[in-house]
Amino acid sequence: MPREITAYSNPLIKRVRSLREKRHRREEGLFLAEGLRILTEARESGRLPVYLFFARDSAAHPLVRALVADVEAAGGEAIETVPDILSKLSGKDNPQAVVGVFEEFAVDLAALDRSTAKIWLVAERLRDPGNLGTILRTGDAVGAGGLILIGECVDPFSVEAVRASMGALFTVPIVQSGWDDFLAWLRGGPGQLVGLSLDTDQHYREARYAAPTFLLTGNEAQGMPADYAQACDVLVKIPMLGKADSLNAAVATAVMAYEVLARA
Amino acid sequence: MPREITAYSNPLIKRVRSLREKRHRREEGLFLAEGLRILTEARESGRLPVYLFFARDSAAHPLVRALVADVEAAGGEAIETVPDILSKLSGKDNPQAVVGVFEEFAVDLAALDRSTAKIWLVAERLRDPGNLGTILRTGDAVGAGGLILIGECVDPFSVEAVRASMGALFTVPIVQSGWDDFLAWLRGGPGQLVGLSLDTDQHYREARYAAPTFLLTGNEAQGMPADYAQACDVLVKIPMLGKADSLNAAVATAVMAYEVLARA
């Protein structure tokens, strides 16, 4: 039976709320995800929260009931609460019906099997959590094998990244790696490294792509370092007809990913 | 000569800061844009702020000097200030070197010349300011004739939308319209209305596009209403290989826009 918490001062509420900060996520190894759609995606991917908070008036919803049952069967705790506390946990005025606390997870580079997908996404020094989440969401859509984060990227378990991923955080494997380790691993097997560049005449719709293709997305403000570009097997450009010289990082990744999906 | 403001309590600082709220933007007909890149884009597009705030230690930067000179020549006011006040104006811990206050502008549907571009972007009930700004940025890149906002969309002059547009707010014409008015205008001349749908077998890479193409993007959570879909000349689908059934709205718009750019 779910217990009930209706007091802000409850220590668990304070603790869960602190997971909005990276420092506390690292200390606890836990992160927050919210909303029935994302939590159901997690459940279907075999990931259940250790704590599940749900609003009393959504307790009868079939997807909430399924979550509560599975969480309790797996040894987690389901907690009935009030909208105000859900607001406090999610940091939104209109809270979602459910908030889950999950254990962080990570995949090792060595555990990736590059033969399982024709597209892999690689991002270096990505700084915006919305971009990271959106890239995961696109990764899910194109059937990417995973997202490899190089260098100092924003935390994929931040509330904003999880939210923007719309659940893809649970379906697309995420690896964190240094550049040298990644490059050594990449060159230990088949794989084409493709990067976007302003300094090439190779149109992205005319380049040849060969699976598995690793699409490298550079930092939002600076793009990728010159030596990363030199390590690419193919550099391509996306035409820019306006005043600006770059696209949003998540948009550029998606345009490239769908091109490769159609032609690799 | 620029005047100097270093006190938070200055009435102009309070007034400018209030423009972070939509209500105050509507009352004043003014909005905020920040950052040297975006303000330079604005200047090159012929739009100058009525107030320009800049940090003392960036006063010598050639682009800041050019902005100050042009703003003063146009009758606006350049104001030297301190980083703390720039932070307060922009709502960011690491403030940009410049913040500008611009007069809002709008374009009438009747003023659009559809023969000037092969792609036009149309969004209905777009709710996320980051998505709106990102769609503008993509619009600039594909040479879109404009962005037509249908129904209750988020304010394109919000701080987040302006920031995500990276200056495209100043280069891509924006029209706000009702659906019926838009449709009447559209059918008064050549133009193909293209929408994304889950209920079609028409692959987006196989459909035929004919310029001018009007790309319709629906609400982030609900997509477009059935009668909007029925009004489309072509409905297409983008393949979704994963668990999710949709892409981020700005991503879907970009994938479609680049497809049309290559083939219309």
Side-chain angles (χ1 to χ4, degrees):
Chain A
M1 270 298 291
R3 72 164 150 152
E4 198 177 324
I5 297 181
T6 55
Y8 286 115
S9 57
N10 185 290
L12 182 61
I13 299 299
K14 289 193 175 173
R15 187 177 148 215
V16 170
R17 197 173 139 75
S18 79
L19 296 175
R20 303 179 58 75
E21 289 169 44
K22 182 173 180 181
R23 179 167 60 89
H24 291 288
R25 287 196 296 275
R26 279 310 96 80
E27 275 171 21
E28 301 244 21
L30 298 172
F31 71 99
L32 287 170
E34 62 195 359
L36 208 42
R37 176 166 166 182
I38 293 182
L39 266 66
T40 296
E41 196 84 76
R43 182 170 73 88
E44 291 175 355
S45 308
R47 299 216 181 255
L48 290 164
V50 289
Y51 297 108
L52 171 73
F53 296 86
F54 63 97
R56 190 174 308 165
D57 60 5
S58 60
H61 191 294
L63 289 174
V64 175
R65 290 170 65 131
L67 271 166
V68 169
D70 282 7
V71 165
E72 292 187 331
E77 192 178 3
I79 295 152
E80 194 173 290
T81 188
V82 292
D84 276 1
I85 287 187
L86 285 171
S87 271
K88 194 163 174 145
L89 295 181
S90 74
K92 287 168 93 175
D93 289 341
N94 296 309
Q96 301 275 353
V98 289
V99 172
V101 177
F102 291 80
E103 286 174 352
E104 288 189 355
F105 47 86
V107 177
D108 263 4
L109 210 43
L112 297 182
D113 177 358
R114 69 184 81 194
S115 70
T116 58
K118 70 179 181 180
I119 301 177
W120 297 77
L121 303 177
V122 187
E124 64 100 11
R125 291 176 304 146
L126 204 67
R127 289 297 160 85
D128 183 88
N131 281 344
L132 196 155
T134 302
I135 287 174
L136 281 171
R137 185 176 179 184
T138 300
D140 173 85
V142 298
L147 170 62
I148 300 164
L149 298 173
I150 307 286
E152 280 284 307
C153 286
V154 67
D155 184 11
F157 298 106
S158 72
V159 171
E160 297 78 11
V162 175
R163 192 180 284 158
S165 85
M166 291 299 283
L169 179 86
F170 296 103
T171 62
V172 177
I174 300 172
V175 173
Q176 310 206 25
S177 171
W179 173 250
D180 293 342
D181 288 345
F182 165 68
L183 211 57
W185 172 83
L186 177 69
R187 297 313 181 197
Q192 181 191 43
L193 186 60
V194 175
L196 277 173
S197 172
L198 298 173
D199 301 321
T200 177
D201 291 329
Q202 179 68 68
H203 196 292
Y204 81 110
R205 287 181 80 103
E206 287 157 10
R208 295 187 62 170
Y209 302 110
T213 296
F214 292 78
L215 277 180
L216 177 57
T217 302
N219 170 268
E220 288 95 338
Q222 295 151 16
M224 69 184 75
D227 58 321
Y228 288 34
Q230 275 162 17
C232 287
D233 300 301
V234 184
L235 287 174
V236 296
K237 65 167 182 186
I238 294 178
M240 306 288 303
L241 307 186
K243 304 257 305 174
D245 63 1
S246 69
L247 291 164
N248 166 276
V251 159
T253 302
V255 170
M256 284 301 303
Y258 270 100
E259 186 64 21
V260 171
L261 180 65
R263 298 203 292 111
Chain B
M1 271 298 289
R3 73 164 149 154
E4 198 177 327
I5 296 182
T6 56
Y8 286 117
S9 56
N10 184 291
L12 181 61
I13 299 298
K14 289 193 173 171
R15 185 177 151 217
V16 170
R17 196 172 141 75
S18 78
L19 297 176
R20 304 179 58 75
E21 289 169 46
K22 183 172 178 179
R23 180 168 58 90
H24 290 289
R25 288 196 296 275
R26 279 313 94 83
E27 276 171 20
E28 300 245 21
L30 298 172
F31 70 100
L32 286 170
E34 61 194 359
L36 207 41
R37 177 166 165 181
I38 293 181
L39 265 66
T40 297
E41 196 84 77
R43 182 171 73 90
E44 291 175 355
S45 307
R47 298 216 182 255
L48 289 165
V50 289
Y51 297 107
L52 172 72
F53 295 87
F54 63 97
R56 190 172 311 164
D57 61 4
S58 61
H61 190 296
L63 288 174
V64 174
R65 291 169 65 132
L67 272 166
V68 169
D70 282 7
V71 165
E72 292 188 332
E77 192 178 3
I79 297 154
E80 193 173 290
T81 188
V82 292
D84 275 3
I85 288 186
L86 285 172
S87 271
K88 194 163 175 148
L89 294 181
S90 74
K92 287 169 96 176
D93 290 340
N94 295 309
Q96 302 274 354
V98 288
V99 172
V101 177
F102 292 81
E103 287 173 353
E104 288 189 355
F105 45 87
V107 178
D108 264 4
L109 210 43
L112 297 182
D113 177 357
R114 68 184 81 194
S115 70
T116 58
K118 68 180 181 180
I119 301 178
W120 297 78
L121 303 177
V122 187
E124 64 101 10
R125 291 175 305 144
L126 205 65
R127 289 298 160 84
D128 183 89
N131 282 344
L132 195 155
T134 302
I135 288 174
L136 281 171
R137 186 176 177 184
T138 300
D140 174 84
V142 298
L147 171 62
I148 300 162
L149 298 172
I150 307 286
E152 279 284 307
C153 286
V154 68
D155 183 10
F157 298 106
S158 72
V159 171
E160 297 78 11
V162 175
R163 191 180 284 158
S165 85
M166 291 299 282
L169 180 85
F170 296 102
T171 62
V172 177
I174 300 173
V175 173
Q176 309 206 29
S177 170
W179 172 250
D180 292 340
D181 287 345
F182 165 69
L183 211 57
W185 173 83
L186 177 68
R187 298 313 181 197
Q192 181 191 42
L193 186 60
V194 175
L196 277 173
S197 171
L198 298 173
D199 302 321
T200 176
D201 291 327
Q202 179 67 67
H203 194 293
Y204 81 109
R205 286 182 79 102
E206 288 157 10
R208 296 188 61 170
Y209 303 110
T213 296
F214 291 79
L215 277 180
L216 176 57
T217 301
N219 171 267
E220 288 95 339
Q222 295 152 16
M224 68 185 75
D227 58 321
Y228 288 33
Q230 275 163 17
C232 287
D233 299 300
V234 184
L235 287 175
V236 296
K237 64 167 183 188
I238 293 178
M240 305 288 303
L241 307 186
K243 304 258 305 175
D245 65 0
S246 69
L247 291 164
N248 165 277
V251 160
T253 302
V255 170
M256 285 302 303
Y258 270 100
E259 187 64 22
V260 171
L261 180 64
R263 299 203 293 109

